[in-house]
Amino acid sequence: MIWLVLVLGGLALVVAAPYLHEALKPHMDDKARRSAPGKFAELSRGCTHYRWLGATRGPVAVCVHGLTTPSFVWNGLAPGLGALGFRVLVYDLYGRGYSDRPSGPQDSAFFVTQLEELLEDQGVDGDITLLGYSMGGAIATAFAALFPERLRQLVLIAPAGLGHDLGPLAERVTHGGRLGRWMMQAFFARSFRKSTEAERDLPSSVEGIVDLQQGELHYRGFVPAVMASINGMVSEDLREEHHDIAQSRVAVLAIWGGQDSIIPISSMGDLAQINRAARQEVIEDAGHGLTYTHSAAVIHAMRDLMCD
């Protein structure tokens, strides 16, 4: 009988360990935010970290980052956008960077509301150029479909919403129920470190990009936020939203990485069938990190934004 108690106790410890590890991580609080650049807005679901970059005057470009990369992912592109004449607003999605980590589903309504409230807080009421990278591309697509009159143009960089391959762990999270959630909590950090380390020797316009990404694992709520977004925003099929955008005649530029293993290049063809007016560019030797590994090429693909 004693051995059975020990076995069951050991199993309980194994099951609980990932959740205990998460609970012992520090909060993203005022102390953690002391070194943060930029400012903070108190929105309905919590504190949102934001920065204004680029030109001091001019049309506004709003940048929405991806699943695991906070707003620092735009550090390499913001100067180029500024050179094009844009005032650039970047911010951290809930669950990432210096923003709060509210619990609950993270679907399109969740993220679109955050963006809508931030624009109101910052007094941005004219038409904007909206840029979205990876999952941020899906958020930008959802926003554009709802508020086409607020957009001057939409720029999608390796956007989610038309298909993706985040790997077997994400697939397990989406379809594995409680076991999938446990596996995510137990193994995501190791998987994330391995995938980011693979980019350490790549050129990057964002200094210390690998260490910055891995630093997200230090704070409580990041892994649950990624898990909630995989089950929510990342899993949404946005073909109908792209149809709505096409009908609204919002100008669309989509930029793809020719070597992207996460967002398949076949999504380019899907978008072309839905929105024949969309302009599309491929950076042939770029992977999914094209915003920071191929910043100059991405800016070059945007060269006509101020001419339209």
Side-chain angles (χ1 to χ4, degrees):
M1 183 61 71
I2 294 178
W3 69 266
L4 180 59
V5 172
L6 292 175
V7 169
L8 292 176
L11 287 174
L13 183 60
V14 169
V15 171
Y19 299 102
L20 290 173
H21 179 68
E22 179 69 26
L24 291 173
K25 292 179 180 179
H27 285 284
M28 176 51 63
D29 55 16
D30 291 342
K31 180 180 179 181
R33 291 179 174 124
R34 287 176 186 170
S35 61
K39 298 181 179 181
F40 297 89
E42 289 294 337
L43 307 182
S44 65
R45 295 300 303 274
C47 180
T48 292
H49 171 243
Y50 69 90
R51 291 177 292 156
W52 281 98
L53 307 170
T56 55
R57 295 182 180 180
V60 173
V62 181
C63 301
V64 190
H65 68 75
L67 177 66
T68 61
T69 51
S71 59
F72 58 68
V73 79
W74 298 105
N75 288 357
L77 286 179
L81 290 170
L84 290 175
F86 288 105
R87 296 172 58 217
V88 183
L89 176 61
V90 304
Y91 68 102
D92 290 333
L93 297 171
Y94 289 130
R96 289 93 174 158
Y98 293 104
S99 290
D100 276 346
R101 278 100 162 105
S103 59
Q106 294 196 2
D107 54 12
S108 57
F110 175 79
F111 287 120
V112 166
T113 298
Q114 183 187 18
L115 175 53
E116 187 180 9
E117 291 180 352
L118 179 62
L119 293 177
E120 181 179 1
D121 180 85
Q122 292 300 293
V124 179
D125 53 9
D127 58 348
I128 63 173
T129 294
L130 184 58
L131 294 85
Y133 165 55
S134 193
M135 185 182 77
I139 297 168
T141 298
F143 185 92
L146 286 172
F147 306 109
E149 73 283 356
R150 301 192 63 177
L151 266 64
R152 181 174 183 265
Q153 51 208 350
L154 175 65
V155 180
L156 304 174
I157 306 173
L162 293 170
H164 64 269
D165 181 5
L166 296 178
L169 181 56
E171 184 73 16
R172 179 71 69 175
V173 169
T174 305
H175 302 291
R178 291 182 180 179
L179 176 59
R181 292 192 292 273
W182 181 86
M183 291 181 66
M184 179 72 175
Q185 199 68 58
F187 300 119
F188 175 75
R190 182 187 307 171
S191 174
F192 186 59
R193 289 191 181 97
K194 181 179 179 180
S195 64
T196 51
E197 280 296 332
E199 293 190 338
R200 189 171 288 279
D201 294 330
L202 294 179
S204 175
S205 62
V206 179
E207 185 177 357
I209 182 70
V210 171
D211 294 329
L212 287 171
Q213 289 181 85
Q214 294 181 6
E216 290 295 294
L217 295 167
H218 178 68
Y219 289 100
R220 189 186 307 181
F222 173 67
V223 175
V226 172
M227 182 162 42
S229 291
I230 291 172
N231 281 320
M233 187 75 255
V234 175
S235 296
E236 293 186 26
D237 187 321
L238 298 179
R239 284 171 174 78
E240 184 175 341
E241 284 77 4
H242 280 291
H243 277 293
D244 292 342
I245 292 168
Q247 292 179 0
S248 71
R249 298 187 178 180
V250 169
V252 176
L253 167 64
I255 305 171
W256 310 89
Q259 305 302 315
D260 193 336
S261 60
I262 295 175
I263 302 297
I265 196 67
S266 60
S267 295
M268 180 181 179
D270 294 336
L271 180 58
Q273 289 185 350
I274 298 170
N275 188 349
R276 297 186 181 280
R279 181 162 70 91
Q280 305 204 61
E281 301 276 349
V282 179
I283 302 175
E284 294 292 349
D285 59 342
H288 192 63
L290 69 170
T291 52
Y292 48 91
T293 62
H294 291 71
S295 300
V298 172
I299 290 295
H300 182 72
M302 300 180 193
R303 60 193 178 278
D304 298 328
L305 289 188
M306 297 296 288
C307 300
D308 294 341

mmCIF file of all heavy atoms in Angstrom, residues 141-182:
data_model
loop_
_atom_site.group_PDB
_atom_site.id
_atom_site.type_symbol
_atom_site.label_atom_id
_atom_site.label_comp_id
_atom_site.label_asym_id
_atom_site.label_seq_id
_atom_site.Cartn_x
_atom_site.Cartn_y
_atom_site.Cartn_z
ATOM 1 N N THR A 141 -5.960 41.981 -39.683
ATOM 2 C CA THR A 141 -6.998 41.580 -40.639
ATOM 3 C C THR A 141 -8.378 41.681 -39.999
ATOM 4 O O THR A 141 -9.323 42.213 -40.602
ATOM 5 C CB THR A 141 -6.750 40.141 -41.115
ATOM 6 O OG1 THR A 141 -5.496 40.080 -41.801
ATOM 7 C CG2 THR A 141 -7.863 39.666 -42.047
ATOM 8 N N ALA A 142 -8.507 41.176 -38.767
ATOM 9 C CA ALA A 142 -9.795 41.240 -38.068
ATOM 10 C C ALA A 142 -10.220 42.681 -37.841
ATOM 11 O O ALA A 142 -11.404 43.032 -38.008
ATOM 12 C CB ALA A 142 -9.694 40.490 -36.745
ATOM 13 N N PHE A 143 -9.273 43.538 -37.475
ATOM 14 C CA PHE A 143 -9.580 44.955 -37.250
ATOM 15 C C PHE A 143 -10.008 45.625 -38.553
ATOM 16 O O PHE A 143 -10.993 46.379 -38.591
ATOM 17 C CB PHE A 143 -8.365 45.666 -36.662
ATOM 18 C CG PHE A 143 -8.609 47.105 -36.286
ATOM 19 C CD1 PHE A 143 -9.018 47.429 -35.007
ATOM 20 C CD2 PHE A 143 -8.430 48.117 -37.212
ATOM 21 C CE1 PHE A 143 -9.247 48.753 -34.650
ATOM 22 C CE2 PHE A 143 -8.657 49.452 -36.870
ATOM 23 C CZ PHE A 143 -9.065 49.764 -35.580
ATOM 24 N N ALA A 144 -9.269 45.359 -39.632
ATOM 25 C CA ALA A 144 -9.567 45.980 -40.920
ATOM 26 C C ALA A 144 -10.935 45.574 -41.454
ATOM 27 O O ALA A 144 -11.636 46.369 -42.078
ATOM 28 C CB ALA A 144 -8.480 45.622 -41.932
ATOM 29 N N ALA A 145 -11.313 44.312 -41.217
ATOM 30 C CA ALA A 145 -12.626 43.847 -41.672
ATOM 31 C C ALA A 145 -13.750 44.550 -40.931
ATOM 32 O O ALA A 145 -14.821 44.808 -41.504
ATOM 33 C CB ALA A 145 -12.737 42.336 -41.494
ATOM 34 N N LEU A 146 -13.528 44.875 -39.671
ATOM 35 C CA LEU A 146 -14.544 45.551 -38.867
ATOM 36 C C LEU A 146 -14.577 47.056 -39.098
ATOM 37 O O LEU A 146 -15.644 47.678 -39.065
ATOM 38 C CB LEU A 146 -14.293 45.277 -37.384
ATOM 39 C CG LEU A 146 -14.645 43.885 -36.866
ATOM 40 C CD1 LEU A 146 -14.160 43.726 -35.426
ATOM 41 C CD2 LEU A 146 -16.150 43.654 -36.935
ATOM 42 N N PHE A 147 -13.402 47.652 -39.320
ATOM 43 C CA PHE A 147 -13.301 49.112 -39.409
ATOM 44 C C PHE A 147 -12.546 49.555 -40.661
ATOM 45 O O PHE A 147 -11.535 50.255 -40.572
ATOM 46 C CB PHE A 147 -12.598 49.668 -38.163
ATOM 47 C CG PHE A 147 -13.210 49.240 -36.870
ATOM 48 C CD1 PHE A 147 -12.554 48.330 -36.044
ATOM 49 C CD2 PHE A 147 -14.430 49.751 -36.454
ATOM 50 C CE1 PHE A 147 -13.105 47.934 -34.833
ATOM 51 C CE2 PHE A 147 -14.996 49.365 -35.249
ATOM 52 C CZ PHE A 147 -14.335 48.457 -34.433
ATOM 53 N N PRO A 148 -13.007 49.169 -41.849
ATOM 54 C CA PRO A 148 -12.268 49.537 -43.060
ATOM 55 C C PRO A 148 -12.157 51.043 -43.258
ATOM 56 O O PRO A 148 -11.180 51.528 -43.846
ATOM 57 C CB PRO A 148 -13.088 48.882 -44.174
ATOM 58 C CG PRO A 148 -14.457 48.724 -43.607
ATOM 59 C CD PRO A 148 -14.243 48.428 -42.150
ATOM 60 N N GLU A 149 -13.134 51.780 -42.760
ATOM 61 C CA GLU A 149 -13.116 53.229 -42.930
ATOM 62 C C GLU A 149 -12.006 53.898 -42.131
ATOM 63 O O GLU A 149 -11.660 55.066 -42.385
ATOM 64 C CB GLU A 149 -14.472 53.818 -42.517
ATOM 65 C CG GLU A 149 -14.756 53.837 -41.026
ATOM 66 C CD GLU A 149 -15.153 52.476 -40.449
ATOM 67 O OE1 GLU A 149 -15.283 51.505 -41.220
ATOM 68 O OE2 GLU A 149 -15.318 52.384 -39.213
ATOM 69 N N ARG A 150 -11.403 53.177 -41.191
ATOM 70 C CA ARG A 150 -10.353 53.748 -40.358
ATOM 71 C C ARG A 150 -8.961 53.504 -40.935
ATOM 72 O O ARG A 150 -7.969 53.959 -40.369
ATOM 73 C CB ARG A 150 -10.421 53.162 -38.943
ATOM 74 C CG ARG A 150 -11.739 53.413 -38.242
ATOM 75 C CD ARG A 150 -11.674 53.099 -36.767
ATOM 76 N NE ARG A 150 -10.727 53.952 -36.074
ATOM 77 C CZ ARG A 150 -10.522 53.928 -34.754
ATOM 78 N NH1 ARG A 150 -11.199 53.075 -34.008
ATOM 79 N NH2 ARG A 150 -9.643 54.733 -34.193
ATOM 80 N N LEU A 151 -8.890 52.757 -42.039
ATOM 81 C CA LEU A 151 -7.600 52.382 -42.606
ATOM 82 C C LEU A 151 -7.294 53.110 -43.903
ATOM 83 O O LEU A 151 -8.145 53.208 -44.788
ATOM 84 C CB LEU A 151 -7.547 50.867 -42.861
ATOM 85 C CG LEU A 151 -6.937 50.025 -41.734
ATOM 86 C CD1 LEU A 151 -7.787 50.125 -40.476
ATOM 87 C CD2 LEU A 151 -6.791 48.581 -42.157
ATOM 88 N N ARG A 152 -6.073 53.577 -43.982
ATOM 89 C CA ARG A 152 -5.543 54.101 -45.240
ATOM 90 C C ARG A 152 -5.008 52.944 -46.077
ATOM 91 O O ARG A 152 -5.175 52.905 -47.286
ATOM 92 C CB ARG A 152 -4.432 55.107 -44.948
ATOM 93 C CG ARG A 152 -3.808 55.755 -46.183
ATOM 94 C CD ARG A 152 -2.828 56.841 -45.753
ATOM 95 N NE ARG A 152 -2.278 57.527 -46.905
ATOM 96 C CZ ARG A 152 -1.121 57.209 -47.478
ATOM 97 N NH1 ARG A 152 -0.412 56.200 -46.995
ATOM 98 N NH2 ARG A 152 -0.678 57.880 -48.520
ATOM 99 N N GLN A 153 -4.357 52.000 -45.377
ATOM 100 C CA GLN A 153 -3.825 50.810 -46.031
ATOM 101 C C GLN A 153 -3.480 49.770 -44.975
ATOM 102 O O GLN A 153 -3.293 50.090 -43.797
ATOM 103 C CB GLN A 153 -2.596 51.146 -46.883
ATOM 104 C CG GLN A 153 -1.534 51.931 -46.171
ATOM 105 C CD GLN A 153 -0.714 52.807 -47.104
ATOM 106 O OE1 GLN A 153 -0.800 52.703 -48.315
ATOM 107 N NE2 GLN A 153 0.108 53.675 -46.536
ATOM 108 N N LEU A 154 -3.407 48.529 -45.423
ATOM 109 C CA LEU A 154 -3.138 47.394 -44.542
ATOM 110 C C LEU A 154 -1.887 46.677 -45.036
ATOM 111 O O LEU A 154 -1.804 46.307 -46.217
ATOM 112 C CB LEU A 154 -4.342 46.439 -44.553
ATOM 113 C CG LEU A 154 -4.220 45.119 -43.787
ATOM 114 C CD1 LEU A 154 -4.087 45.383 -42.290
ATOM 115 C CD2 LEU A 154 -5.439 44.241 -44.062
ATOM 116 N N VAL A 155 -0.924 46.480 -44.152
ATOM 117 C CA VAL A 155 0.317 45.785 -44.491
ATOM 118 C C VAL A 155 0.400 44.519 -43.638
ATOM 119 O O VAL A 155 0.419 44.591 -42.410
ATOM 120 C CB VAL A 155 1.559 46.659 -44.248
ATOM 121 C CG1 VAL A 155 2.832 45.898 -44.612
ATOM 122 C CG2 VAL A 155 1.466 47.955 -45.054
ATOM 123 N N LEU A 156 0.444 43.377 -44.291
ATOM 124 C CA LEU A 156 0.488 42.086 -43.615
ATOM 125 C C LEU A 156 1.840 41.429 -43.872
ATOM 126 O O LEU A 156 2.206 41.193 -45.023
ATOM 127 C CB LEU A 156 -0.641 41.186 -44.129
ATOM 128 C CG LEU A 156 -2.060 41.761 -44.011
ATOM 129 C CD1 LEU A 156 -3.066 40.839 -44.699
ATOM 130 C CD2 LEU A 156 -2.425 41.973 -42.550
ATOM 131 N N ILE A 157 2.559 41.145 -42.805
ATOM 132 C CA ILE A 157 3.893 40.556 -42.909
ATOM 133 C C ILE A 157 3.840 39.138 -42.355
ATOM 134 O O ILE A 157 3.626 38.935 -41.157
ATOM 135 C CB ILE A 157 4.932 41.399 -42.144
ATOM 136 C CG1 ILE A 157 4.893 42.854 -42.613
ATOM 137 C CG2 ILE A 157 6.332 40.804 -42.325
ATOM 138 C CD1 ILE A 157 5.770 43.785 -41.790
ATOM 139 N N ALA A 158 4.008 38.154 -43.242
ATOM 140 C CA ALA A 158 3.891 36.735 -42.850
ATOM 141 C C ALA A 158 2.675 36.521 -41.962
ATOM 142 O O ALA A 158 2.788 36.000 -40.849
ATOM 143 C CB ALA A 158 5.171 36.267 -42.153
ATOM 144 N N PRO A 159 1.484 36.903 -42.440
ATOM 145 C CA PRO A 159 0.318 36.919 -41.557
ATOM 146 C C PRO A 159 -0.290 35.547 -41.306
ATOM 147 O O PRO A 159 -0.376 34.705 -42.197
ATOM 148 C CB PRO A 159 -0.678 37.792 -42.339
ATOM 149 C CG PRO A 159 -0.334 37.528 -43.773
ATOM 150 C CD PRO A 159 1.170 37.394 -43.799
ATOM 151 N N ALA A 160 -0.725 35.336 -40.066
ATOM 152 C CA ALA A 160 -1.549 34.178 -39.734
ATOM 153 C C ALA A 160 -2.973 34.444 -40.221
ATOM 154 O O ALA A 160 -3.309 35.552 -40.611
ATOM 155 C CB ALA A 160 -1.530 33.935 -38.234
ATOM 156 N N GLY A 161 -3.796 33.399 -40.180
ATOM 157 C CA GLY A 161 -5.192 33.548 -40.565
ATOM 158 C C GLY A 161 -5.580 32.808 -41.823
ATOM 159 O O GLY A 161 -6.768 32.638 -42.104
ATOM 160 N N LEU A 162 -4.552 32.339 -42.560
ATOM 161 C CA LEU A 162 -4.812 31.575 -43.783
ATOM 162 C C LEU A 162 -4.092 30.223 -43.757
ATOM 163 O O LEU A 162 -3.957 29.577 -44.789
ATOM 164 C CB LEU A 162 -4.374 32.376 -45.013
ATOM 165 C CG LEU A 162 -5.171 33.647 -45.309
ATOM 166 C CD1 LEU A 162 -4.489 34.466 -46.407
ATOM 167 C CD2 LEU A 162 -6.604 33.325 -45.713
ATOM 168 N N GLY A 163 -3.660 29.827 -42.592
ATOM 169 C CA GLY A 163 -2.927 28.571 -42.453
ATOM 170 C C GLY A 163 -1.587 28.792 -41.775
ATOM 171 O O GLY A 163 -0.969 29.845 -41.924
ATOM 172 N N HIS A 164 -1.131 27.799 -40.992
ATOM 173 C CA HIS A 164 0.128 27.920 -40.283
ATOM 174 C C HIS A 164 0.603 26.535 -39.856
ATOM 175 O O HIS A 164 -0.155 25.570 -39.876
ATOM 176 C CB HIS A 164 -0.028 28.798 -39.039
ATOM 177 C CG HIS A 164 -0.964 28.217 -38.018
ATOM 178 N ND1 HIS A 164 -2.307 28.509 -38.010
ATOM 179 C CD2 HIS A 164 -0.770 27.354 -36.987
ATOM 180 C CE1 HIS A 164 -2.894 27.866 -37.016
ATOM 181 N NE2 HIS A 164 -1.976 27.153 -36.386
ATOM 182 N N ASP A 165 1.870 26.475 -39.470
ATOM 183 C CA ASP A 165 2.438 25.253 -38.895
ATOM 184 C C ASP A 165 3.332 25.662 -37.738
ATOM 185 O O ASP A 165 4.500 25.995 -37.913
ATOM 186 C CB ASP A 165 3.237 24.483 -39.944
ATOM 187 C CG ASP A 165 3.821 23.181 -39.378
ATOM 188 O OD1 ASP A 165 3.510 22.854 -38.215
ATOM 189 O OD2 ASP A 165 4.582 22.509 -40.096
ATOM 190 N N LEU A 166 2.770 25.643 -36.519
ATOM 191 C CA LEU A 166 3.523 26.010 -35.329
ATOM 192 C C LEU A 166 4.236 24.823 -34.704
ATOM 193 O O LEU A 166 4.884 24.967 -33.669
ATOM 194 C CB LEU A 166 2.596 26.655 -34.295
ATOM 195 C CG LEU A 166 1.942 27.976 -34.694
ATOM 196 C CD1 LEU A 166 1.026 28.461 -33.585
ATOM 197 C CD2 LEU A 166 2.987 29.025 -35.030
ATOM 198 N N GLY A 167 4.096 23.652 -35.321
ATOM 199 C CA GLY A 167 4.772 22.482 -34.795
ATOM 200 C C GLY A 167 3.855 21.567 -34.006
ATOM 201 O O GLY A 167 2.704 21.909 -33.714
ATOM 202 N N PRO A 168 4.357 20.377 -33.630
ATOM 203 C CA PRO A 168 3.514 19.359 -32.979
ATOM 204 C C PRO A 168 3.004 19.779 -31.606
ATOM 205 O O PRO A 168 1.915 19.378 -31.205
ATOM 206 C CB PRO A 168 4.445 18.145 -32.891
ATOM 207 C CG PRO A 168 5.828 18.694 -33.005
ATOM 208 C CD PRO A 168 5.726 19.885 -33.898
ATOM 209 N N LEU A 169 3.772 20.575 -30.862
ATOM 210 C CA LEU A 169 3.321 20.981 -29.537
ATOM 211 C C LEU A 169 2.086 21.865 -29.638
ATOM 212 O O LEU A 169 1.103 21.678 -28.902
ATOM 213 C CB LEU A 169 4.436 21.708 -28.784
ATOM 214 C CG LEU A 169 4.102 22.165 -27.350
ATOM 215 C CD1 LEU A 169 3.641 20.982 -26.501
ATOM 216 C CD2 LEU A 169 5.311 22.856 -26.721
ATOM 217 N N ALA A 170 2.103 22.825 -30.565
ATOM 218 C CA ALA A 170 0.939 23.691 -30.750
ATOM 219 C C ALA A 170 -0.260 22.901 -31.244
ATOM 220 O O ALA A 170 -1.404 23.163 -30.849
ATOM 221 C CB ALA A 170 1.274 24.800 -31.744
ATOM 222 N N GLU A 171 -0.008 21.911 -32.091
ATOM 223 C CA GLU A 171 -1.097 21.052 -32.573
ATOM 224 C C GLU A 171 -1.714 20.291 -31.401
ATOM 225 O O GLU A 171 -2.945 20.154 -31.309
ATOM 226 C CB GLU A 171 -0.553 20.071 -33.608
ATOM 227 C CG GLU A 171 -1.609 19.194 -34.258
ATOM 228 C CD GLU A 171 -2.489 19.946 -35.240
ATOM 229 O OE1 GLU A 171 -2.101 21.061 -35.649
ATOM 230 O OE2 GLU A 171 -3.562 19.422 -35.594
ATOM 231 N N ARG A 172 -0.891 19.831 -30.488
ATOM 232 C CA ARG A 172 -1.383 19.119 -29.310
ATOM 233 C C ARG A 172 -2.187 20.062 -28.414
ATOM 234 O O ARG A 172 -3.214 19.674 -27.847
ATOM 235 C CB ARG A 172 -0.203 18.540 -28.542
ATOM 236 C CG ARG A 172 -0.582 17.807 -27.278
ATOM 237 C CD ARG A 172 -1.273 16.491 -27.553
ATOM 238 N NE ARG A 172 -0.347 15.527 -28.134
ATOM 239 C CZ ARG A 172 -0.665 14.257 -28.394
ATOM 240 N NH1 ARG A 172 -1.896 13.828 -28.152
ATOM 241 N NH2 ARG A 172 0.218 13.437 -28.924
ATOM 242 N N VAL A 173 -1.732 21.298 -28.287
ATOM 243 C CA VAL A 173 -2.451 22.279 -27.476
ATOM 244 C C VAL A 173 -3.840 22.521 -28.037
ATOM 245 O O VAL A 173 -4.833 22.600 -27.301
ATOM 246 C CB VAL A 173 -1.660 23.605 -27.414
ATOM 247 C CG1 VAL A 173 -2.508 24.717 -26.808
ATOM 248 C CG2 VAL A 173 -0.388 23.416 -26.605
ATOM 249 N N THR A 174 -3.930 22.624 -29.355
ATOM 250 C CA THR A 174 -5.199 22.936 -29.995
ATOM 251 C C THR A 174 -6.194 21.793 -29.875
ATOM 252 O O THR A 174 -7.392 22.018 -29.680
ATOM 253 C CB THR A 174 -4.979 23.263 -31.484
ATOM 254 O OG1 THR A 174 -4.018 24.329 -31.590
ATOM 255 C CG2 THR A 174 -6.275 23.705 -32.149
ATOM 256 N N HIS A 175 -5.716 20.569 -29.965
ATOM 257 C CA HIS A 175 -6.628 19.427 -30.034
ATOM 258 C C HIS A 175 -6.509 18.468 -28.844
ATOM 259 O O HIS A 175 -7.265 17.496 -28.778
ATOM 260 C CB HIS A 175 -6.379 18.636 -31.321
ATOM 261 C CG HIS A 175 -6.547 19.458 -32.560
ATOM 262 N ND1 HIS A 175 -7.762 19.931 -32.986
ATOM 263 C CD2 HIS A 175 -5.630 19.905 -33.462
ATOM 264 C CE1 HIS A 175 -7.599 20.635 -34.102
ATOM 265 N NE2 HIS A 175 -6.316 20.632 -34.409
ATOM 266 N N GLY A 176 -5.603 18.728 -27.906
ATOM 267 C CA GLY A 176 -5.314 17.745 -26.873
ATOM 268 C C GLY A 176 -5.999 17.939 -25.544
ATOM 269 O O GLY A 176 -5.737 17.187 -24.601
ATOM 270 N N GLY A 177 -6.877 18.949 -25.402
ATOM 271 C CA GLY A 177 -7.589 19.144 -24.156
ATOM 272 C C GLY A 177 -6.651 19.380 -22.988
ATOM 273 O O GLY A 177 -5.641 20.087 -23.095
ATOM 274 N N ARG A 178 -6.958 18.778 -21.835
ATOM 275 C CA ARG A 178 -6.151 18.982 -20.635
ATOM 276 C C ARG A 178 -4.728 18.491 -20.807
ATOM 277 O O ARG A 178 -3.778 19.110 -20.318
ATOM 278 C CB ARG A 178 -6.807 18.270 -19.450
ATOM 279 C CG ARG A 178 -8.123 18.900 -18.995
ATOM 280 C CD ARG A 178 -8.682 18.177 -17.782
ATOM 281 N NE ARG A 178 -9.928 18.772 -17.339
ATOM 282 C CZ ARG A 178 -10.646 18.322 -16.315
ATOM 283 N NH1 ARG A 178 -10.215 17.245 -15.645
ATOM 284 N NH2 ARG A 178 -11.757 18.925 -15.966
ATOM 285 N N LEU A 179 -4.565 17.361 -21.494
ATOM 286 C CA LEU A 179 -3.220 16.850 -21.727
ATOM 287 C C LEU A 179 -2.413 17.838 -22.568
ATOM 288 O O LEU A 179 -1.235 18.088 -22.286
ATOM 289 C CB LEU A 179 -3.275 15.495 -22.431
ATOM 290 C CG LEU A 179 -1.919 14.887 -22.816
ATOM 291 C CD1 LEU A 179 -1.052 14.683 -21.578
ATOM 292 C CD2 LEU A 179 -2.106 13.573 -23.572
ATOM 293 N N GLY A 180 -3.030 18.406 -23.585
ATOM 294 C CA GLY A 180 -2.353 19.389 -24.418
ATOM 295 C C GLY A 180 -1.942 20.616 -23.626
ATOM 296 O O GLY A 180 -0.832 21.139 -23.791
ATOM 297 N N ARG A 181 -2.823 21.081 -22.739
ATOM 298 C CA ARG A 181 -2.499 22.245 -21.915
ATOM 299 C C ARG A 181 -1.341 21.936 -20.965
ATOM 300 O O ARG A 181 -0.461 22.773 -20.747
ATOM 301 C CB ARG A 181 -3.739 22.700 -21.143
ATOM 302 C CG ARG A 181 -4.833 23.278 -22.041
ATOM 303 C CD ARG A 181 -5.908 23.966 -21.224
ATOM 304 N NE ARG A 181 -6.681 23.037 -20.420
ATOM 305 C CZ ARG A 181 -7.764 22.396 -20.858
ATOM 306 N NH1 ARG A 181 -8.195 22.594 -22.095
ATOM 307 N NH2 ARG A 181 -8.429 21.568 -20.073
ATOM 308 N N TRP A 182 -1.351 20.726 -20.397
ATOM 309 C CA TRP A 182 -0.251 20.342 -19.513
ATOM 310 C C TRP A 182 1.061 20.262 -20.283
ATOM 311 O O TRP A 182 2.107 20.729 -19.802
ATOM 312 C CB TRP A 182 -0.554 18.991 -18.844
ATOM 313 C CG TRP A 182 0.538 18.560 -17.905
ATOM 314 C CD1 TRP A 182 0.679 18.907 -16.603
ATOM 315 C CD2 TRP A 182 1.660 17.725 -18.231
ATOM 316 N NE1 TRP A 182 1.810 18.344 -16.078
ATOM 317 C CE2 TRP A 182 2.438 17.608 -17.055
ATOM 318 C CE3 TRP A 182 2.064 17.064 -19.385
ATOM 319 C CZ2 TRP A 182 3.607 16.858 -17.014
ATOM 320 C CZ3 TRP A 182 3.233 16.311 -19.343
ATOM 321 C CH2 TRP A 182 3.989 16.218 -18.176
#
